[in-house]
Amino acid sequence: MKMIIYKKDDGGVAIVIPTNEGLEKLGGINNLAKRDVPTGKKYKIVDESEISSDRTFRNAWEINESELTDGVGD
Amino acid sequence: MALSKAGLVDVTAITGETALASAPAATDELLINDGGTIKRIDFSLTEDTVRHAKCWCKWESLGTPAIEGSFNAASITDNGTGDTTINFTTNLGDTHYAVATSSVTQSNNSGKSDNLTDTAVGSFRLVYFENGSATDARYRAIVFGN
């Protein structure tokens, strides 16, 4: 399962989890990312295994914007 | 064979039947026997899409967020603890839709609330609280609207 991450305005990290319906109807994860990531936000497509399942400090997660290299939200 | 009452309809006029392979289209028609008179019902007259759920979604964020079932949800966005945006596959007609939600209590029924915000034609956001704090949980949402 692939997911999409981007940096929120408050500096935290948002994670977009696609549905099969979304992937099918929007034509794949790149199209879905462009649509569901806020306009102008850089994003990266990552494997689910790269997302921590320990959410104890979820609101403190950070991402360096230079790592968000897969596209920009439309 | 539905039209078979002797003396009221010509049962020989229909010689076979075909099962629908999917839900009837608006252009499909249904013939009924009304006291000897055959009436034709256009399925477009039977559709009442205002009363159909426009979206439903069951998801959880107790570990890595996961969607367990959905309709008209292209994705969910995990914004942080207890904070999720549901992104519709097909936008709704306006923002005056109603959302019914339920969240599974994790530790404390006190101060429990589902806070719906940022309702747009393409998405809505739900933040779940227990005892005044945003809390990860299991959630369900159903949307009715235009």
Side-chain angles (χ1 to χ4, degrees):
Chain A
M1 163 73 82
K2 297 290 187 184
M3 299 180 172
I4 304 147
I5 58 174
Y6 66 88
K7 189 172 186 174
K8 299 189 298 177
D9 289 338
D10 65 6
V13 179
I15 306 164
V16 179
I17 300 100
T19 65
N20 289 333
E21 175 191 327
L23 292 171
E24 183 179 319
K25 293 195 174 176
L26 296 176
I29 196 163
N30 281 303
N31 289 343
L32 188 147
K34 286 183 180 299
R35 199 200 68 155
D36 288 349
V37 169
T39 303
K41 294 283 187 191
K42 296 178 182 176
Y43 64 81
K44 186 167 185 65
I45 297 168
V46 301
D47 194 83
E48 177 181 351
S49 62
E50 297 180 66
I51 307 290
S52 173
S53 60
D54 181 355
R55 294 174 62 85
T56 307
F57 300 104
R58 171 65 183 85
N59 290 343
W61 291 4
E62 294 180 339
I63 183 75
N64 191 323
E65 200 160 340
S66 64
E67 296 182 52
L68 306 174
T69 54
D70 287 338
V72 179
D74 286 342
Chain B
M1 178 68 67
L3 304 175
S4 61
K5 191 171 181 180
L8 295 179
V9 296
D10 179 4
V11 297
T12 65
I14 300 174
T15 58
E17 60 186 60
T18 302
L20 285 171
S22 60
T27 52
D28 285 338
E29 297 170 338
L30 173 70
L31 301 179
I32 64 169
N33 174 7
D34 180 10
T37 301
I38 292 181
K39 292 184 175 176
R40 187 181 67 226
I41 300 173
D42 185 325
F43 270 92
S44 67
L45 299 176
T46 68
E47 287 194 347
D48 190 357
T49 56
V50 170
R51 296 183 183 181
H52 296 178
K54 292 298 168 30
C55 172
W56 60 265
C57 191
K58 179 173 183 272
W59 75 102
E60 59 105 342
S61 61
L62 294 171
T64 305
I67 302 161
E68 296 167 336
S70 66
F71 166 71
N72 197 31
S75 67
I76 63 170
T77 302
D78 165 27
N79 302 302
T81 303
D83 185 344
T84 311
T85 298
I86 284 72
N87 303 300
F88 301 134
T89 305
T90 301
N91 287 355
L92 271 68
D94 56 48
T95 60
H96 304 301
Y97 51 83
V99 183
T101 62
S102 69
S103 304
V104 179
T105 303
Q106 296 306 299
S107 60
N108 195 331
N109 274 314
S110 178
K112 180 175 173 176
S113 68
D114 292 321
N115 188 13
L116 189 71
T117 64
D118 300 346
T119 49
V121 293
S123 64
F124 67 90
R125 183 176 179 182
L126 177 72
V127 186
Y128 173 63
F129 290 89
E130 283 185 19
N131 208 22
S133 298
T135 302
D136 286 324
R138 291 193 168 86
Y139 319 91
R140 299 169 184 85
I142 305 172
V143 180
F144 284 85
N146 295 315

